[in-house]
Amino acid sequence: MTARPLSPAIAFAVAAGGIGLFSIMDAFMKSLTLALGVYNALAWRTALSAMLGGVAWKASGGGWPSRRAARLHLLRGAITAVMALLFFWGLARVPMAQAIALSYIAPLLALLLGAVALGERVGARTVGASVAALGGVAIIMAGHRSAALGPEAFLGAVAILVSAVLYAVNLVVARVQSQAARPGEIAFFQSAIVAGLLLLAAPWLLVVPPTGEYWKIACGAALATASLFLLAWAYAHGETGYLATTEYTSFVYAAVLGWLAFGERVATTTLLGAAVIVAACLYAARRRPAKVLEVAA
């Protein structure tokens, strides 16, 4: 096999594309959670995602994972199941833009965890971009502090914050996992394990959704599978702290989709904060690491 240099900007762009697809999926999941409840929305979407992921896995050659990869699949699947339940439960109770803003502690935590657990270098440009992006989040939160979000908004915000901590761990595990398995395998086993864990409660909680919700489940599953595939590929070719800054672009998607799909008003402070976040991400994307990554052709 021949090795060829891979620009880190390519991994960054692929990760940003995966975040974009995941953000659109969030809008479908918010609608499904409001209609079906968080358990049924997540169980049905993840079960279909596992089927789609199985196709991607088979197309990439299939094959049973190694023992190390299987352990990582199980670990990340368990983390993802709890993380997703908390996030989508909270998402149904606060505006999309605010939910995403609260989740932005995850990339910052991932920077620290990546350095501690994986020995990754945290460059000054990445740290500066993350601090600037956090400033953008502060601007957004200042504009939302007086909003009337309903009696369950506080609990929803707490659920999202706990989910964000788990997501930071998830990002670091994803980096290790991407070195042990191919993207198609990860997309399949990630969804299959989460679906299997959720379906343990099926005898008590699972209900058949109304036919009018089927298309949303299908769209959510397709978007989640495509996002997992892109992010798995990106994290196989870039450092956790560097790629984690792409998470900040999700705010732009959340603000627009929240307004279009749910009539959630986008405040001036929200737009200002989003501009700061995007500028920070573009600044981080210009980073020039000392080492050029290589991949097998």
Side-chain angles (χ1 to χ4, degrees):
M1 291 188 293
T2 305
R4 68 178 185 276
L6 175 70
S7 167
I10 295 175
F12 189 94
V14 172
I19 293 299
L21 294 182
F22 213 80
S23 299
I24 299 171
M25 184 275 293
D26 282 345
F28 280 100
M29 283 300 294
K30 176 162 184 168
S31 178
L32 285 168
T33 300
L34 291 171
L36 307 176
V38 65
Y39 172 80
N40 278 280
L42 192 57
W44 285 105
R45 191 222 75 191
T46 309
L48 184 54
S49 290
M51 296 179 190
L52 295 174
V55 174
W57 176 54
K58 194 68 175 176
S60 66
W64 195 252
S66 66
R67 183 175 298 180
R68 177 170 178 261
R71 288 197 299 266
L72 290 167
H73 294 331
L74 285 168
L75 175 60
R76 191 179 175 201
I79 294 170
T80 300
V82 179
M83 177 192 79
L85 285 169
L86 288 169
F87 179 79
F88 291 121
W89 188 87
L91 184 62
R93 287 157 177 79
V94 299
M96 285 188 65
Q98 184 155 346
I100 295 302
L102 289 170
S103 73
Y104 281 154
I105 63 169
L108 299 175
L109 289 174
L111 282 172
L112 176 61
L113 291 172
V116 172
L118 305 180
E120 294 181 351
R121 179 176 60 85
V122 181
R125 184 183 291 272
T126 301
V127 172
S130 296
V131 171
L134 187 60
V137 172
I139 294 171
I140 295 159
M141 294 305 295
H144 280 281
R145 68 181 183 274
S146 60
L149 300 176
E152 291 192 308
F154 177 75
L155 291 177
V158 170
I160 289 168
L161 287 171
V162 176
S163 176
V165 174
L166 292 175
Y167 189 50
V169 178
N170 182 289
L171 288 175
V172 176
V173 176
R175 171 63 172 162
V176 180
Q177 182 190 36
S178 68
Q179 303 298 312
R182 297 175 67 87
E185 179 185 317
I186 292 172
F188 169 60
F189 281 97
Q190 173 87 7
S191 296
I193 290 169
V194 174
L197 291 173
L198 290 173
L199 291 176
L200 292 175
W204 301 276
L205 299 177
L206 193 68
V207 298
V208 177
T211 55
E213 303 297 326
Y214 287 179
W215 73 275
K216 296 179 187 176
I217 294 172
C219 287
L223 290 164
T225 301
S227 175
L228 275 174
F229 188 91
L230 291 177
L231 290 172
W233 187 94
Y235 275 85
H237 300 89
E239 294 181 357
T240 302
Y242 177 47
L243 296 181
T245 58
T246 62
E247 299 289 328
Y248 294 124
T249 63
S250 62
F251 180 82
V252 179
Y253 295 103
V256 173
L257 291 168
W259 174 60
L260 290 175
F262 305 104
E264 296 169 355
R265 181 176 173 272
V266 181
T268 302
T269 49
T270 298
L271 296 175
L272 178 59
V276 173
I277 292 167
V278 171
C281 288
L282 291 175
Y283 177 74
R286 294 177 55 220
R287 183 186 130 193
R288 299 175 185 267
K291 287 207 271 186
V292 177
L293 299 173
E294 292 189 348
V295 294

